[in-house]
Amino acid sequence: MVHANQLGLNIMKLLIPLTIIFALLLNGCAQQSERHVRSDAGTYSSVAVSQPNFKPMKGQSFAWYGKPVWSDSKMANANTDSQLVSAMNRQLADRGYRLSNEREQADYVIGMALITEGGTRNEELAQFFSIFPNLPKSAAGFKKGVIAVGVITPSQVSASGTAPDRQAVLWRSALEAFILDEAIDENQREERIRGFVSVLMKRFP
């Protein structure tokens, strides 16, 4: 007959290895998940299209059409808007262009849209920009989002607020990436935005 103390010791001997195995499995899953996040954070697809006559010269001015437009208003984020606009302004200034607050007086007008899965304005914005990056599926299950930028002349800006003629867009660029949300911290997010904007502007004249 097995005594209670001996039975308890036998159970403990069985549980300890199982606990170690379980902990190792959890640690392995966590490391794998972290690798997937790192991989997805640096993965993107981009494309740019330019009209042959779009050849801005240093010293010419650019003004914003307005705040970045989100296809899903529920995902709109003022901090993200600010970081994107700031990064774009830096890219333009580094190329020798001037920034203007007067849209009507600028040489060119620049607009931006953020298109996310399930957004109510996805079709409208996709038709306007008409450039489609092709990003593979996320290893960690993250959703995709597109940053799209376009340049027009002030004469194409409608007083009624309707979208400009798509054929009049002088330059378009789009980048598709994974939306990591809380998987990265604010500093990483800002660094990622700067990197994406650099890619968006890589083929800018």
Side-chain angles (χ1 to χ4, degrees), residues 80-94:
T80 298
D81 288 352
S82 176
Q83 291 172 358
L84 284 166
V85 170
S86 177
M88 286 292 296
N89 288 346
R90 184 181 296 274
Q91 288 284 332
L92 290 168
D94 287 347

Side-chain angles (χ1 to χ4, degrees), residues 28-205:
C29 290
Q31 290 178 348
Q32 185 176 15
S33 176
E34 187 178 343
R35 284 197 300 270
H36 286 162
V37 170
R38 286 200 303 268
S39 174
D40 284 351
T43 302
Y44 62 84
S45 174
S46 66
V47 60
V49 178
S50 181
Q51 297 280 11
N53 63 336
F54 180 55
K55 298 177 180 180
M57 296 181 295
K58 288 184 178 181
Q60 288 191 302
S61 58
F62 285 78
W64 282 90
Y65 181 83
K67 294 189 300 182
V69 176
W70 292 72
S71 69
D72 184 351
S73 59
K74 294 178 182 177
M75 293 194 67
N77 185 298
N79 191 41
T80 298
D81 288 352
S82 176
Q83 291 172 358
L84 284 166
V85 170
S86 177
M88 286 292 296
N89 288 346
R90 184 181 296 274
Q91 288 284 332
L92 290 168
D94 287 347
R95 284 169 168 77
Y97 303 121
R98 294 185 297 111
L99 299 169
S100 173
N101 293 323
E102 301 296 331
R103 193 171 63 183
E104 294 78 9
Q105 305 301 321
D107 294 298
Y108 299 100
V109 176
I110 188 166
M112 177 182 287
L114 292 98
I115 306 169
T116 56
E117 294 182 35
T120 57
R121 300 185 63 183
N122 280 14
E123 185 175 351
E124 170 196 350
L125 293 171
Q127 286 181 352
F128 175 74
F129 286 99
S130 292
I131 46 177
F132 307 99
N134 186 19
L135 189 67
K137 187 176 180 181
S138 165
F142 292 112
K143 292 183 178 181
K144 303 175 186 179
V146 173
I147 306 171
V149 184
V151 172
I152 59 175
T153 60
S155 62
Q156 292 295 323
V157 178
S158 170
S160 64
T162 56
D165 180 2
R166 180 169 60 83
Q167 300 302 322
V169 181
L170 300 171
W171 177 85
R172 293 167 286 153
S173 183
L175 180 146
E176 186 173 30
F178 298 116
I179 302 172
L180 302 187
D181 291 328
E182 303 304 319
I184 56 176
D185 61 33
E186 186 59 33
N187 290 333
Q188 292 171 319
R189 187 174 295 106
E190 187 170 357
E191 182 180 352
R192 194 166 179 247
I193 286 174
R194 288 196 300 267
F196 287 161
V197 170
S198 179
V199 173
L200 279 168
M201 296 290 285
K202 188 174 183 179
R203 299 177 190 174
F204 195 83

